[in-house]
Amino acid sequence: MGSFRTSAQARANLPQGIEMNIHVLTQGYWPTYAPVEVNLPPQISQYQDIFRDFYLSKHSGRRLNWQNGLAHCVLKARFDQGTKELSVSLFQTIVLMLFNDSDKLSFKHILEATGIEDKELRRTLQSLACGKVRVLQKEPRGRDVADSDEFVFHSQLNEKLYRIKVNSIQLKESAEENAATSERVFQ
């Protein structure tokens, strides 16, 4: 990663204001996760493309698979009380970056713009609007996210800490999924 940052390719093409750390692991060391396709913001997508070109020019015959579901980010966000750093998942990042261009967004608009799978997006929005730290406000108020809900950036967020961890909502495993997992493990 250090050689990437100092390369002429990176210095000439990387977007300003973004710092990205990438960990390249072989398939044997990485748990098997199904790749999740999402619509990345242009700044992140551009960074990935530049890194992919750099990496493949150094290591021919290899292939990169991005594990978007495992990525996390630190965003700087401006609130009425000042700037804060938000430690969030990539899915939360994608949703929050939509609010750079809009004050209010519907669930359906966020679903189309992000490309995040419906169930995952509902969990992501719950963590941002219904969790302990509410970076977004949901209209109407409530714990569940409906198709007709709208979301607004919560500019009056009043947290004392400069760096805030926004936890993801954990997915409950159904009885069938639990049985299938147990079956795979004990075979």
Side-chain angles (χ1 to χ4, degrees):
M1 188 68 194
S3 63
F4 170 65
R5 285 199 183 121
T6 58
S7 71
Q9 190 176 10
R11 287 193 316 263
N13 298 320
L14 287 179
Q16 296 297 314
I18 294 180
E19 184 176 316
M20 190 178 233
N21 293 311
I22 299 169
H23 300 277
V24 178
L25 301 174
T26 62
Q27 212 54 40
Y29 293 109
W30 199 254
T32 55
Y33 291 98
V36 180
E37 293 298 321
V38 294
N39 300 330
L40 293 173
Q43 303 91 326
I44 296 174
S45 180
Q46 179 185 3
Y47 208 115
Q48 278 189 348
D49 292 342
I50 294 167
F51 181 80
R52 180 184 300 112
D53 293 343
F54 170 80
Y55 183 80
L56 295 177
S57 72
K58 297 281 187 198
H59 306 283
S60 63
R62 292 191 185 173
R63 187 179 65 187
L64 284 176
N65 293 325
W66 298 98
Q67 293 293 342
N68 294 322
L70 301 177
H72 60 276
C73 306
V74 176
L75 298 177
K76 285 192 179 182
R78 286 189 213 104
F79 298 96
D80 294 346
Q81 299 290 326
T83 301
K84 304 283 185 189
E85 284 187 355
L86 304 175
S87 179
V88 293
S89 71
L90 179 64
F91 295 152
Q92 291 169 326
T93 299
I94 294 168
V95 169
L96 289 173
M97 288 183 75
L98 292 176
F99 288 90
N100 286 340
D101 302 323
S102 300
D103 293 332
K104 187 178 206 176
L105 296 169
S106 69
F107 172 79
K108 289 183 181 187
H109 177 81
I110 295 170
L111 181 66
E112 291 171 10
T114 62
I116 299 172
E117 186 266 325
D118 185 275
K119 194 173 178 182
E120 184 66 40
L121 180 60
R122 290 179 194 275
R123 283 184 341 123
T124 300
L125 288 169
Q126 271 186 322
S127 68
L128 292 170
C130 305
K132 183 179 174 188
V133 178
R134 297 181 182 193
V135 182
L136 299 179
Q137 292 178 319
K138 185 174 96 61
E139 298 170 8
R141 296 178 71 97
R143 298 294 294 163
D144 294 324
V145 175
D147 291 347
S148 59
D149 288 351
E150 293 189 330
F151 298 87
V152 178
F153 182 71
H154 185 197
S155 62
Q156 291 91 31
L157 182 75
N158 191 12
E159 289 286 325
K160 292 181 177 113
L161 298 174
Y162 176 72
R163 181 174 252 182
I164 303 165
K165 169 81 172 117
V166 180
N167 293 321
S168 295
I169 304 291
Q170 296 300 313
L171 183 63
K172 299 267 191 261
E173 189 174 50
S174 70
E176 299 88 33
E177 292 171 328
N178 195 355
T181 302
S182 295
E183 184 69 29
R184 283 194 312 263
V185 168
F186 293 120
Q187 282 184 346

